[in-house]
Amino acid sequence: MTIGQARELTSKTLVDLPEDFSGMAAFKRQKTHDYTRYEQGVDYVFEAIEPNGAKGYLTCQGKGVKQGDYVILRQSDAIIRYRIERIDYYSSPSDMWIALLVQSWLEQGFFE
């Protein structure tokens, strides 16, 4: 459809939306933080806690990172997206944190 064109709305076009959008609002607040240009062991440390790397701890610096956000890391030749399950900030420096990451299977390989 191009600008200026209209299409007829049918009953199949309309969607029933819940009255409470709090779940959608939380989803929209999630951010993706791209660390693929950073170097493992220098700019951040990722420690796998499962043999396949599906779960691990990431120690890094950066402001505005929170639970529920996503982090993209380069692992060998793959680019993998992880979801932040839990995050704890250090007191000094205040922008340093450690997070429990869980691989986001639907997004694995998406950026390759």
Side-chain angles (χ1 to χ4, degrees):
M1 196 160 49
T2 61
I3 297 175
Q5 287 182 326
R7 77 174 187 190
E8 182 180 335
L9 291 177
T10 65
S11 61
K12 291 181 180 179
T13 308
L14 302 176
V15 176
D16 289 329
L17 297 175
E19 290 183 27
D20 178 21
F21 285 101
S22 61
M24 283 300 281
F27 176 76
K28 288 183 179 182
R29 286 191 298 263
Q30 294 170 337
K31 294 182 183 176
T32 298
H33 306 273
D34 186 356
Y35 287 92
T36 58
R37 291 186 175 91
Y38 295 99
E39 187 176 342
Q40 158 79 328
V42 176
D43 301 305
Y44 67 87
V45 175
F46 178 78
E47 299 174 78
I49 57 174
E50 289 187 359
N52 59 1
K55 251 185 184 180
Y57 287 102
L58 177 66
T59 304
C60 194
Q61 282 185 271
K63 293 184 179 186
V65 181
K66 63 187 183 320
Q67 183 176 335
D69 284 356
Y70 293 93
V71 174
I72 303 171
L73 300 176
R74 182 175 301 279
Q75 300 290 323
S76 301
D77 293 331
I79 295 175
I80 303 173
R81 182 175 154 175
Y82 292 92
R83 185 172 194 278
I84 298 174
E85 291 292 310
R86 188 176 66 233
I87 187 167
D88 292 307
Y89 276 88
Y90 288 77
S91 58
S92 180
S94 61
D95 66 339
M96 182 172 251
W97 46 267
I98 184 166
L100 173 62
L101 305 182
V102 176
Q103 194 168 4
S104 178
W105 296 102
L106 295 176
E107 298 297 329
Q108 180 182 3
F110 179 77
F111 296 94
E112 293 179 18

